[in-house]
Each structure stands twice: as C-alpha cells, then as structure tokens.
Amino acid sequence: MGVLSLLYRPSEFLALLKLKKKIQEWKQRSAMQERDADWEFCYDMLNKVSRSFAIVIEQLGDELRNAICVFYLVLRGLDTVEDDMAIDAETKARLLLSFHESIECEGFTLSCKLFTHILYFCFD
C-alpha cells in the first residue's frame, strides 16, 4: 500500500505534490527571514518537537510567525512538565504555578535554574 496506492488516486497524488511544493516555498520564505541565533534555535526546536505544527506555523505571515513559534514552544514545554510522570506533583505544581511570575522578570530565560529541566525534557 502506502505511496503506491496514490497511483490509483491521481487527484490525491497531485494534491500531495502541490502541498510538498507549497511547504518548500513556506520553508524558503521562512529561511529568508533574517534571524539571529535565538530565532534559529526556536525554529530548529519547533521542527524537532512538532513537524506538523512547524509546517502550519511557517505558513503564517511575518507579523505572526515568530510570536506563534515562541508561544507554541512555551506551551509545549509546560505541557511536557505537566505530562511527565518523573516529576513529583509538588515540583510540577511549583513550576507551573510560578511560570507566569518568572517570565515577567527582566532578563528571564528558560535556561534559568528553575526551568532547566523544561528544556531537558522538552528538547533533549
């Protein structure tokens, strides 16, 4: 079955080819956007943690793409902490309940001590 079954449905095969071409265009447009090392890291992580959402996010216009990328990664990190059975409930609650306070601190990064394991669990 698989790819060969598409030969029996030429309209679906054609749609798949068009989608593949569009995805390449979106990725090229996204790659052309001038990014510093932080944005490169964000988009690299986005493609590692969710290829399907990465495709959708890269279709967005310039004004939304970066904001949605960061928003998705933060939520993915928090969801990973929430779902991880290796983190005890007390630590989980402390991390999740204090997150909003931490991000309002000037100079906040996810590499601070409190959130180091978010990066570890989400991106390792």
Side-chain angles (χ1 to χ4, degrees):
M1 244 1 200
V3 175
L4 292 178
S5 67
L6 287 173
L7 296 175
Y8 297 112
R9 298 184 302 271
S11 63
E12 290 180 22
F13 183 69
L14 183 59
L16 183 65
L17 289 177
K18 286 180 183 179
L19 177 62
K20 186 158 178 68
K21 184 177 187 251
K22 275 293 189 191
I23 289 170
Q24 288 171 341
E25 289 174 17
W26 297 323
K27 287 193 177 283
Q28 286 173 349
R29 185 188 74 191
S30 182
M32 287 177 11
Q33 179 186 8
E34 195 171 316
R35 294 192 189 129
D36 59 19
D38 291 335
W39 286 119
E40 290 298 328
F41 172 80
C42 286
Y43 282 95
D44 183 47
M45 290 301 108
L46 179 66
N47 280 286
K48 287 180 179 177
V49 299
S50 179
R51 290 181 305 269
S52 58
F53 278 114
I55 291 168
V56 173
I57 291 169
E58 288 175 4
Q59 292 178 52
L60 296 171
D62 296 339
E63 69 283 353
L64 284 177
R65 189 180 318 113
N66 289 345
I68 299 297
C69 176
V70 170
F71 187 69
Y72 176 82
L73 290 173
V74 168
L75 292 180
R76 179 69 188 259
L78 293 172
D79 184 57
T80 299
V81 170
E82 180 186 18
D83 292 345
D84 196 315
M85 300 305 286
I87 303 173
D88 65 271
E90 185 179 314
T91 301
K92 231 183 250 195
R94 185 173 38 84
L95 285 170
L96 297 172
L97 291 171
S98 67
F99 181 76
H100 73 282
E101 296 165 355
S102 300
I103 62 172
E104 292 182 9
C105 296
E106 190 170 328
F108 168 78
T109 66
L110 282 178
S111 60
C112 67
K113 183 180 178 190
L114 184 61
F115 292 98
T116 298
H117 58 286
I118 291 178
L119 292 174
Y120 174 78
F121 288 113
C122 190
F123 300 132
D124 220 20

